[in-house]
Amino acid sequence: MKKKILVLTLALLITGSSLCSCTQVPDKTSESSASETTTVTSETSATKETVTETTATSETTTAVPNPRDTTPYEQVTLDGVKEHKFQATDFCFLESEKYVLFMEKDIVIPGDFAVNLDAIIGEIENQLGLSACPETFHYTEVSDCVSSHYGINPWEGWDIGSKIPIFLEVDRTDGDQVSSGSMDGFVEIVAFELFSDELWNSVPSYRDNPDRRMDCVDYFTFVHEITHTITLRNYGYLTKITAEGIAEYMGRKVIDKLADDHPSIAEYKEKRYLFDYAIPQKVNSKNAEKIFIGDYHEISHANRGPEYVYGRYLMQYLHETFGDDFYYRFNEKLRIERPHYKSNDYKEEEAAKYAEILKDLFGEDIFTGFGKWCVKKHHLQEKNGVFPGI
Ligand SMILES: [Zn+2]
């Protein structure tokens, strides 16, 4: 994208005054606080509207008509230049083909942020063979993700059709109940590297611990959470292991795939720290299926981790053993059989259906094969600590 930064639509409040403005900010970023939840519910939206893109010139702020003139909040466009920064000074939004970013005051994003997000969503669709905006999903209005902080819902009544609402939020006290997460109706991201320096320096526990934020955007978190939303929209529930496994696996694959052509994603790839969570029991050919069906359901959300690493290695094994279309095949079967699984109401017979689906697709010995592969490669063999992963 060759557009230069920001620009915004200025719609006016009933009071007639404009509420939002864009500011160029010195290059400086932060990092992610993301602990995430994958609860499931639904919603999203319905009406399609056309977005007027503005051809703004460098460092100018151009007012364009806000296509959603029911709110006073400005529409942001970016110029694609990483070194340029946009800082939100009020609620504002950025609209792309498949998502709308909803931002609040003190969010800072680089000029190539939307380009990278476009590429990420396209690559997740490509890898999984799924649409980010499937026709079969029931869309509702944009979810209310921010009124708990502000006492108002700035996006009330917003309808963005089948686009994914992605909320970029800040934790103003280092203790708010906000964290990154996703549902089928929206994605929420709380990432320290997207907080403004003013906000960061105003909270001692942030300011005094600069290592808490990366100096580049943690695109992994975006891939992970958006993957959840896309799979949920296409066929609903997955087990904890399959849901987190595919999100974690995509987090690696998509970043690796896009790094060559996307400098900021390459920078993240260079700086990221890959690790594996410890697991309570070493995985082998005898227990791999039992563990899969057990889905680590006895482990509390606060102590989650094993499902992420077991699931990611399982996806890696399936990919290496059965080829690039392994997930397409899994999807097709899920679409047809539609198992209904709720991780907060674990039922062994429901979890076992996912094991049966994998066996139908990839052979009765899929889990014994996976267990042997784990032992041979020394994956899922560590019971303590967090250690470097692949
Ligand atoms: Zn997750």
Side-chain angles (χ1 to χ4, degrees):
M1 264 212 225
K2 299 241 156 97
K3 272 166 259 159
K4 269 312 203 132
I5 271 196
L6 350 161
V7 160
L8 324 200
T9 313
L10 253 236
L12 308 198
L13 240 207
I14 321 170
T15 65
S17 55
S18 101
L19 287 190
C20 205
S21 67
C22 289
T23 330
Q24 296 263 119
V25 165
D27 190 0
K28 184 75 190 183
T29 28
S30 29
E31 186 213 278
S32 126
S33 69
S35 74
E36 37 99 28
T37 8
T38 311
T39 343
V40 184
T41 29
S42 19
E43 46 55 68
T44 306
S45 21
T47 307
K48 289 236 173 184
E49 291 187 38
T50 318
V51 183
T52 320
E53 284 250 16
T54 319
T55 351
T57 46
S58 166
E59 272 132 46
T60 55
T61 300
T62 310
V64 296
N66 184 338
R68 306 184 188 286
D69 56 9
T70 54
T71 66
Y73 306 118
E74 295 183 85
Q75 182 176 14
V76 177
T77 58
L78 305 176
D79 65 356
V81 179
K82 179 191 171 202
E83 290 71 24
H84 294 166
K85 305 288 174 185
F86 164 73
Q87 178 165 341
T89 55
D90 194 355
F91 296 113
C92 53
F93 69 99
L94 180 153
E95 185 151 8
S96 192
E97 186 191 344
K98 292 176 181 165
Y99 62 88
V100 177
L101 278 183
F102 291 101
M103 295 173 275
E104 61 183 80
K105 182 174 182 294
D106 287 314
I107 286 291
V108 179
I109 52 174
D112 62 349
F113 188 74
V115 175
N116 293 330
L117 220 48
D118 290 342
I120 281 171
I121 292 180
E123 188 56 31
I124 296 171
E125 289 181 309
N126 179 42
Q127 293 277 339
L128 299 183
L130 296 174
S131 166
C133 315
E135 289 176 4
T136 49
F137 184 64
H138 174 68
Y139 297 96
T140 61
E141 285 182 354
V142 172
S143 176
D144 175 9
C145 282
V146 293
S147 63
S148 58
H149 321 304
Y150 297 99
I152 57 161
N153 174 8
W155 313 111
E156 187 172 0
W158 272 50
D159 189 337
I160 59 169
S162 58
K163 296 181 182 187
I164 301 175
I166 301 176
F167 291 86
L168 302 184
E169 301 171 21
V170 294
D171 176 350
R172 296 183 183 281
T173 63
D174 194 17
D176 288 354
Q177 298 291 321
V178 292
S179 59
S180 298
S182 46
M183 297 188 189
D184 49 9
F186 64 89
V187 171
E188 274 182 295
I189 302 288
V190 182
F192 290 163
E193 74 274 15
L194 304 183
F195 292 7
S196 70
D197 287 346
E198 292 88 339
L199 172 66
W200 185 262
N201 292 323
S202 71
V203 179
S205 57
Y206 290 150
R207 183 195 60 219
D208 299 341
N209 295 286
D211 291 345
R212 292 179 69 185
R213 62 177 184 171
M214 291 178 79
D215 60 357
C216 66
V217 177
D218 171 7
Y219 284 107
F220 174 93
T221 301
F222 286 88
V223 180
H224 182 110
E225 298 303 345
I226 293 169
T227 298
H228 280 319
T229 298
I230 292 176
T231 59
L232 283 164
R233 286 175 158 206
N234 279 274
Y235 43 71
Y237 304 95
L238 289 170
T239 62
K240 288 200 304 186
I241 284 177
T242 47
E244 298 305 343
I246 197 61
E248 288 286 285
Y249 192 58
M250 284 301 105
R252 307 271 169 110
K253 295 302 287 184
V254 168
I255 298 294
D256 290 349
K257 187 79 189 294
L258 296 178
D260 287 346
D261 300 329
H262 297 79
S264 295
I265 295 178
E267 182 187 2
Y268 166 71
K269 183 181 174 184
E270 180 68 25
K271 293 179 176 175
R272 71 184 172 181
Y273 174 67
L274 297 178
F275 65 91
D276 284 355
Y277 293 97
I279 50 167
Q281 184 182 14
K282 295 181 182 189
V283 175
N284 58 46
S285 60
K286 292 194 173 62
N287 65 15
E289 181 171 1
K290 188 165 186 290
I291 293 172
F292 178 85
I293 293 173
D295 203 31
Y296 297 112
H297 72 278
E298 73 288 355
I299 294 178
S300 71
H301 190 66
N303 294 314
R304 65 195 179 281
E307 65 270 43
Y308 290 67
V309 67
Y310 181 111
R312 175 167 58 77
Y313 278 120
L314 178 61
M315 296 302 159
Q316 184 177 329
Y317 171 73
L318 293 174
H319 195 170
E320 285 181 11
T321 312
F322 300 101
D324 288 344
D325 67 347
F326 81 101
Y327 203 80
Y328 291 28
R329 294 168 65 190
F330 188 45
N331 286 335
E332 279 312 301
K333 195 90 169 151
L334 285 167
R335 278 211 194 92
I336 294 164
E337 304 207 358
R338 285 267 173 182
H340 194 73
Y341 177 89
K342 287 184 177 176
S343 59
N344 57 2
D345 181 24
Y346 175 77
K347 289 194 173 64
E348 185 177 324
E349 62 274 23
E350 292 299 323
K353 288 179 186 169
Y354 292 81
E356 290 307 316
I357 286 174
L358 289 175
K359 287 201 230 175
D360 284 352
L361 287 170
F362 302 114
E364 280 296 314
D365 59 348
I366 176 71
F367 290 102
T368 52
F370 174 57
K372 277 184 198 158
W373 178 84
C374 287
V375 172
K376 186 175 164 198
K377 303 259 186 178
H378 202 76
H379 297 324
L380 304 174
Q381 304 299 304
E382 302 291 340
K383 293 169 69 176
N384 297 300
V386 166
F387 47 92
I390 61 169

